[in-house]
Amino acid sequence: MKHHKKPCQSYLFFLFIAAFFSLLLSGCGKRAKPDISKVMIVFRSDRFDHDLYANRDRPLEVTDSILAAKYGTFYQDYAYRMVGNGSYTTAQVINYVYKDKAYLDLQKETDSVFKDLKPFNNQLEETFKYIKYYYPEVKVPRFVYFVSGFAVQTPIGDGYLGIGLDMFLGRDSKFYGAIVQSVPRYISRRFTPEYLVPRATETFAREDLFPEKDEDKTLLSKMVHNGKILYFMDQVLPDKIPDSVKIGYTKKQLDWCKKYEGDIWAYYLQNNLLYETDPQAIQVYLTEGPFTPGLGEKNESAPKIGVWTGWQIVRKYMEEHKEITLQQLMAEKDAQKILKDAKYKPKMQAWK
């Protein structure tokens, strides 16, 4: 005779599975997302690159006037800080762009990759609704898409957040091979569309919401500051964005960090690095590079390893203290307190 599960047993089974996945998520530093259905923001995005070329056949002074009226500060910054400098007028700068075939080729490539920006706008709007939920006083910037000739990726200025589409074309873009002397491959491999929303969000967090304090001089304080930025991104970015994209690692680099987390921590302690304040000594653990010198073998280590460690410390701190809100975390200035209360003691395993 067959025995059938009782409804209550099935219900308990599904409750267990739900609880299990909930624990998995909390272990990754993610908390349940708040309801933002009632959060209202004014979201605006414009394509400066399209407006620039749409007015190409007009008299130069007319085009200059149209762009100045529509884009204001962004147009000034584009002409004087991104593409040109104070030696040229805005009209002279756009005239130069019009005459340079390389810019036109770059614009065509950009248009072929970004035929529709609606998916990116939807992600940005959702992300900034979460930001507005946590920080109601925040002024949501106007998003301006443009092409700068690889001058800048996500500039932020008075009321705007720029997104240089030419720096998200895809790692295999023919253009990136030509600029490898100024932009090495370990950086341009991240110039893909999936990085667009995370990089814009990170720029806003670092430059507008949580600029680093001058008193943050130790490696530990800088690690924790960077970790807080990434944890903030955990909470506001779409869930589908992987950790590797948030921090800019390859999957192999991320796996290496996870495997040797305890060894990395022991390395800091054995070399008395946590309270080091010499900028030259600590920057190697915080800046971009193909790997972190001194860690692992055969240059297999991930770069900016201090940033990743800070992220894990902050995640552990928030896991240990469910009562701490995101706002309280971001306002906490004591990196030592966060480390102590995180009870961060990852297990070691020998380097290989």
Side-chain angles (χ1 to χ4, degrees):
M1 183 176 179
K2 291 183 179 179
H3 294 279
H4 297 282
K5 285 183 180 180
K6 293 180 180 179
C8 62
Q9 290 177 316
S10 298
Y11 178 68
L12 287 173
F13 172 77
F14 285 114
L15 276 180
F16 170 78
I17 292 296
F20 174 73
F21 280 107
S22 177
L23 284 171
L24 278 180
L25 285 176
S26 67
C28 293
K30 294 178 181 177
R31 297 187 175 190
K33 290 279 186 77
D35 180 9
I36 57 168
S37 60
K38 295 182 180 178
V39 177
M40 304 298 293
I41 66 171
V42 176
F43 183 88
R44 179 181 178 184
S45 74
D46 293 290
R47 288 208 56 169
F48 175 82
D49 56 328
H50 281 182
D51 286 340
L52 177 65
Y53 281 98
N55 290 282
R56 184 180 183 182
D57 295 330
R58 293 173 180 265
L60 196 59
E61 62 274 12
V62 173
T63 299
D64 184 46
S65 178
I66 290 172
L67 294 174
K70 183 171 181 178
Y71 289 96
T73 304
F74 172 82
Y75 184 45
Q76 300 295 314
D77 290 345
Y78 172 86
Y80 298 139
R81 298 170 63 186
M82 300 178 203
V83 177
N85 56 51
S87 302
Y88 305 94
T89 66
T90 52
Q92 287 173 326
V93 169
I94 61 171
N95 190 46
Y96 163 76
V97 170
Y98 288 152
K99 291 182 177 180
D100 190 334
K101 184 178 181 299
Y103 268 97
L104 185 59
D105 291 343
L106 186 55
Q107 184 63 52
K108 289 178 179 177
E109 175 84 358
T110 300
D111 287 338
S112 71
V113 174
F114 294 101
K115 296 183 177 69
D116 180 14
L117 288 176
K118 187 175 180 180
F120 301 99
N121 281 335
N122 289 342
Q123 284 190 27
L124 284 168
E125 185 170 10
E126 178 185 304
T127 294
F128 275 79
K129 280 187 176 182
Y130 281 115
I131 294 175
K132 190 76 170 178
Y133 172 88
Y134 289 113
Y135 295 92
E137 74 282 3
V138 160
K139 292 183 178 179
V140 177
R142 171 192 186 186
F143 298 91
V144 180
Y145 296 102
F146 69 105
V147 171
S148 72
F150 316 112
V152 61
Q153 190 176 41
T154 52
I156 191 166
D158 185 12
Y160 74 81
L161 202 167
I163 298 174
L165 292 175
D166 53 322
M167 299 184 79
F168 295 101
L169 296 176
R171 70 194 65 189
D172 297 324
S173 171
K174 61 184 179 182
F175 291 99
Y176 301 148
I179 60 170
V180 70
Q181 293 299 321
S182 55
V183 183
R185 285 292 191 182
Y186 65 81
I187 291 180
S188 65
R189 70 162 186 79
R190 302 195 300 263
F191 288 1
T192 66
E194 67 177 339
Y195 276 89
L196 190 154
V197 174
R199 290 292 73 79
T201 303
E202 182 179 10
T203 295
F204 188 76
R206 290 186 180 279
E207 302 294 330
D208 197 273
L209 292 179
F210 316 111
E212 190 171 12
K213 302 289 191 297
D214 290 338
E215 58 266 28
D216 291 344
K217 297 186 183 300
T218 66
L219 177 59
L220 176 62
S221 64
K222 292 181 180 296
M223 287 164 61
V224 170
H225 172 76
N226 281 284
K228 285 160 63 176
I229 295 292
L230 282 162
Y231 185 85
F232 175 81
M233 291 168 65
D234 282 337
Q235 309 313 310
V236 302
L237 284 171
D239 291 333
K240 67 179 181 180
I241 295 177
D243 286 353
S244 57
V245 172
K246 290 173 194 168
I247 195 170
Y249 281 173
T250 63
K251 183 183 182 300
K252 186 177 180 180
Q253 288 171 336
L254 187 64
D255 289 344
W256 184 91
C257 288
K258 291 177 179 178
K259 182 176 181 179
Y260 295 115
E261 184 175 0
D263 302 83
I264 294 166
W265 184 243
Y267 179 87
Y268 298 131
L269 300 180
Q270 291 165 4
N271 291 278
N272 299 313
L273 289 170
L274 292 184
Y275 305 102
E276 178 63 67
T277 58
D278 178 15
Q280 195 168 1
I282 65 179
Q283 279 304 103
V284 67
Y285 306 106
L286 301 168
T287 54
E288 298 287 0
F291 56 89
T292 298
L295 277 82
E297 296 181 355
K298 300 179 182 178
N299 299 336
E300 291 179 345
S301 63
K304 55 181 182 184
I305 201 72
V307 175
W308 185 82
T309 302
W311 195 10
Q312 308 320 304
I313 292 171
V314 171
R315 281 179 163 179
K316 185 68 164 53
Y317 173 75
M318 295 300 280
E319 186 181 327
E320 291 286 332
H321 298 278
K322 299 288 195 295
E323 76 283 2
I324 299 293
T325 66
L326 179 63
Q327 297 94 323
Q328 288 171 330
L329 167 70
M330 302 310 292
E332 177 58 67
K333 298 178 181 178
D334 191 341
Q336 180 63 45
K337 178 182 184 298
I338 289 177
L339 174 61
K340 177 176 176 292
D341 292 349
K343 302 175 185 176
Y344 182 73
K345 295 178 181 177
K347 292 182 180 179
M348 285 183 61
Q349 63 177 354
W351 298 107
K352 287 183 181 180

